[in-house]
Amino acid sequence: MSIDRTEWGVAEGYVREYGHFIDGTDEPSIGGERIERHNPASGELVASWPAGTITDVDRAVKAAVRAFEDGRWSGLTASQRSDVLGAVSRKLKSDWKRLALIESLETGKAISQSADEIPWSGDMWDFAAGQARALHGDSYSGFGESKLALVLREPIGPVGIITPWNYPMVVLAQKLPYALAAGCTVVVKPSEFTSGTTLELAQILREAGLPDGVFNVVTGYGNPVGQRLAEHHDIRLVSFTGSTATGRKVVEASASNMKKVVLELGGKNPNVIFADADLDAAVDGAIKAFVYNSGAECCSGSRVIVERSIMDSFVAKLDERLDTVSIGDPLDPATKMGSINNKPQYEKILKYIEIGKDEATLVRGGGASPQLGGLFIEPTVFKDVPLDATIAKEEIFGPVIAVIPFDSIDDAIHIANDTEYGLASSVWTSDLATATKMARKVNAGVVWVNTFLDLPSEIPVGGVRQSGYGRENGRYAAEEYTVVKTVVLQDPSAAPRYLV
Ligand code: TXE
C-alpha cells in the first residue's frame, strides 16, 4: 500500500512550481520556458522548473562571484561555517520525509530507498561540517631561525556543480557541503529531470543561515545551462557527475579559463565471486548491485565474474532469490525496485537487452513491464557472456547484468581490468590472500570485499581511467575545493642581500 502523501508533506495531485534560486531569492527564468516533470512510474505531473538560459547562468555566477569576493562566507571562521553545515545536516536527518517523497516522485525510485538517502546525505553534511574546521595547511621551519614557510589552503573560488538524475540529493551531498566547508561559493545545475530536491535544499540552507549569493541554483538543460557553467570565465572549478561523453565536453569547456575539473563518470564495474565465498551473501550482494536504484548506479556491479566451478549453483540461486524482489509502485514501502528514471534511459536499456539476446544466454527478465503503469523494466540476467560482447563492455545503467565465468585468480584479474572504466569493484571470497591480491590488482577507485555500495562519509570515492578523476567524500573531497598557497616569511634584518 502506498504511503499517505499528505502525511509525508506533499498532497496527492499537488504540482510543485519552482523558480531558479539566485542571490537568495526565487527567480523566474529570463526567457520564460519551463520544464515539466512527470513521475516516471505513473506519468503524473509532479513539478515544473525553469529551462534556464545563458543569461540566468551569468546572473547566478555574478552573485556567486560577489559573495566570494566580499568574504561574506570565506571570511567567516571555520567554526561559523561548520555551524551552518551542521544545522543543514540536522534538518536532513530529522525532517527527511518531504524530501524523500519528492525524490521518489521525481526519480521513480523506491520510497524505502529515498528514506535512506536523505539522512545519508545529512551524514555527509555532518562530516563536511567537521572538515570545515579540520582543513589546514602545513609549515616548514628548517631554513634557519630567520625564516619560516607556510602552506595555506585557501578556497579555490566560485564553483560550478553539475549533477545527474540517479541520486539528486546524494550526489549533491558528495560535493556541495565540501565546497562550502572550504569557503567556496556555488552555482548548481541539477538534472533537468530531477531538480526539485536541490531547490528545496536552497530553502533549508537559507534557514540554516547561509548568506545570500553563496548557494545558487539554475535549472535547465545540459546545453545551454551546464555548458555555460563549464565554460564560464569566473568559475574556478567544475565538479561533474554524469556520463563519460558529457564529462569530455565539460573538460573541453573548462579549457576556456583552465578551471579545475572533478569528474565522477560511468563504470562497467566488476563484481568477482570466488568459489570459496559465502554464496548467500554473494548472491544477495550481486542482486543489490544491479537492482538497487533500478541499476542506475555508477558503482553498479554490472559484470558479475564468477568462478566456473560454482557458476551453475550461483546462477540458479540468483534466479531463485530474484523472485523475492518486489517491483512496482515506488511509494509502497515494500517495493524494492521502482521505475526507470526517464524515457531516453528506458529506451537505452531496452536496446541493450535486445543486443544481449543476440550475444549471450538470457536467464531471466528480458523486457519491459508495461502492466505496472510506467517505465518499468524486469531485472535481466545474461550468462555465458563473451568478453567482447557489447553488454560486457558498455555501461547500460539499468537492471541488467552480464555473468562471465573465470578459471583462476589471474584470469579474474584480467577480466576485471578488461575495461576502459575504473570506478568501483567488489570481490567475494573467504580467503585473505585472494582478497589482498584482488584489492591490489584491480584497477578501480574502490574495491569492496564481501560488501557492496558501502560508503561511509569518511571514505573517498572516485574513479581511475575513463571513470574520471578527483575524489568525493572524506577529507579528500574538502581538499579538492582548495588551492595551496605558499608563504615564505623572512626576518628582514637577517635577509640575504642580492647586491652585496
Ligand atoms: O547523462 P549526462 P544522461 C551515464 C549512464 C546514462 C548516460 C546518459 O550511462 O545512461 O550517462 O545519461 C548535464 N555541458 N550516467 O544523458 O548527459 C545534464 O543536464 C554540461 C552515469 O542523463 O551526462 C545533467 O545535469 N553539462 C552517471 C548532467 O550533465 C551537461 C549518472 C548529467 O547528464 C551537458 C548519470 C553539457 N554539454 C548518467 N550536457 C553517474 N556517473 O552516476 C548534459 N549535461
Side-chain angles (χ1 to χ4, degrees):
M1 210 178 64
S2 273
I3 55 162
D4 176 344
R5 290 203 214 176
T6 305
E7 198 236 310
W8 283 58
V10 188
E12 190 154 358
Y14 181 73
V15 179
R16 288 164 290 111
E17 289 184 1
Y18 299 97
H20 300 304
F21 185 78
I22 299 175
D23 214 3
T25 52
D26 297 318
E27 296 210 3
S29 179
I30 293 180
E33 254 186 82
R34 292 188 69 78
I35 296 171
E36 290 192 333
R37 180 58 175 163
H38 296 259
N39 177 349
S42 65
E44 168 197 0
L45 177 66
V46 290
S48 77
W49 39 77
T53 59
I54 285 176
T55 312
D56 295 326
V57 178
D58 290 352
R59 281 193 299 151
V61 173
K62 207 168 179 179
V65 168
R66 205 180 316 117
F68 184 74
E69 287 181 350
D70 69 17
R72 70 184 81 165
W73 181 242
S74 61
L76 298 183
T77 64
S79 138
Q80 288 169 318
R81 285 203 299 275
S82 179
D83 278 349
V84 173
L85 302 187
V88 176
S89 164
R90 285 192 294 282
K91 179 86 177 163
L92 295 176
K93 285 183 176 182
S94 64
D95 215 356
W96 48 267
K97 275 193 165 173
R98 179 178 153 83
L99 288 169
L101 173 57
I102 293 173
E103 203 76 316
S104 277
L105 288 172
E106 291 182 14
T107 61
K109 67 173 73 188
I111 191 76
S112 57
Q113 205 192 302
S114 302
D116 278 345
E117 287 178 13
I118 307 302
W120 174 22
S121 302
D123 192 66
M124 293 185 241
W125 281 84
D126 185 45
F127 184 77
Q131 287 304 296
R133 302 183 71 166
L135 264 178
H136 66 279
D138 212 344
S139 66
Y140 291 83
S141 55
F143 313 117
E145 291 196 346
S146 67
K147 193 185 305 206
L148 275 180
L150 307 176
V151 181
L152 311 181
R153 275 202 179 272
E154 298 190 329
I156 195 166
V159 163
I161 291 179
I162 302 172
T163 56
W165 42 261
N166 54 338
Y167 291 103
M169 279 294 269
V170 168
V171 170
L172 189 59
Q174 291 176 326
K175 303 173 188 295
L176 176 61
Y178 297 96
L180 296 177
C184 297
T185 58
V186 179
V187 178
V188 177
K189 190 213 95 69
S191 166
E192 57 272 34
F193 295 113
T194 54
S195 304
T197 45
T198 304
L199 289 159
E200 296 278 335
L201 185 69
Q203 306 306 329
I204 294 174
L205 288 171
R206 186 157 53 184
E207 282 161 29
L210 192 77
D212 292 348
V214 176
F215 174 68
N216 306 275
V217 183
V218 180
T219 58
Y221 297 107
N223 199 355
V225 178
Q227 184 73 27
R228 178 65 170 183
L229 202 51
E231 280 167 1
H232 208 291
H233 269 248
D234 294 331
I235 291 289
R236 300 294 162 198
L237 178 152
V238 167
S239 179
F240 170 83
T241 296
S243 64
T244 297
T246 304
R248 197 165 282 121
K249 288 186 194 162
V250 169
V251 171
E252 283 163 12
S254 73
S256 64
N257 67 339
M258 299 296 175
K259 63 175 62 67
K260 183 176 173 184
V261 180
V262 174
L263 297 170
E264 212 263 50
L265 308 174
K268 191 73 188 175
N269 310 292
N271 187 16
V272 185
I273 297 162
F274 285 86
D276 63 10
D278 175 327
L279 195 60
D280 287 331
V283 166
D284 192 72
I287 290 175
K288 183 178 181 193
F290 85 108
V291 158
Y292 192 76
N293 211 38
S294 303
E297 163 54 62
C298 46
C299 296
S300 117
S302 51
R303 288 186 298 144
V304 186
I305 303 165
V306 182
E307 194 154 0
R308 200 181 297 274
S309 60
I310 58 159
M311 178 59 93
D312 290 345
S313 52
F314 174 83
V315 171
K317 195 157 215 153
L318 184 82
D319 195 15
E320 181 196 313
R321 296 289 290 149
L322 276 167
D323 287 341
T324 66
V325 175
S326 48
I327 303 164
D329 178 10
L331 299 188
D332 180 343
T335 296
K336 275 270 182 263
M337 192 180 108
S339 74
I340 305 304
N341 183 290
N342 58 77
K343 197 76 189 292
Q345 184 61 30
Y346 174 79
E347 281 165 359
K348 172 180 164 179
I349 298 166
L350 291 177
K351 186 193 81 184
Y352 275 113
I353 290 176
E354 289 313 307
I355 293 172
K357 287 176 185 169
D358 290 333
E359 291 182 324
T361 309
L362 180 68
V363 176
R364 74 177 284 147
S369 307
Q371 75 284 4
L372 293 174
L375 306 178
F376 291 89
I377 292 181
E378 301 168 285
T380 297
V381 178
F382 288 103
K383 68 172 187 176
D384 305 325
V385 181
L387 292 183
D388 61 353
T390 310
I391 60 163
K393 292 269 174 221
E394 297 183 13
E395 183 178 51
I396 299 173
F397 220 57
V400 182
I401 40 172
V403 184
I404 300 165
F406 75 87
D407 293 301
S408 66
I409 186 166
D410 289 333
D411 194 20
I413 293 166
H414 168 76
I415 297 170
N417 289 339
D418 186 20
T419 170
E420 277 303 309
Y421 292 110
L423 189 58
S425 58
S426 281
V427 177
W428 300 82
T429 178
S430 55
D431 183 71
L432 186 57
T434 303
T436 308
K437 184 164 177 178
M438 293 299 288
R440 300 303 299 268
K441 293 290 180 191
V442 173
N443 293 323
V446 181
V447 182
W448 284 299
V449 179
N450 297 322
T451 182
F452 169 74
L453 204 62
D454 205 343
L455 286 173
S457 306
E458 289 83 348
I459 59 173
V461 279
V464 297
R465 300 177 168 181
Q466 292 198 32
S467 291
Y469 41 77
R471 288 294 177 265
E472 321 228 64
N473 281 356
R475 71 177 167 83
Y476 305 88
E479 288 177 0
E480 292 287 358
Y481 296 95
T482 65
V483 274
V484 159
K485 179 191 274 176
T486 302
V487 178
V488 180
L489 295 173
Q490 172 68 57
D491 172 351
S493 65
R497 297 282 183 262
Y498 175 53
L499 290 178
V500 218

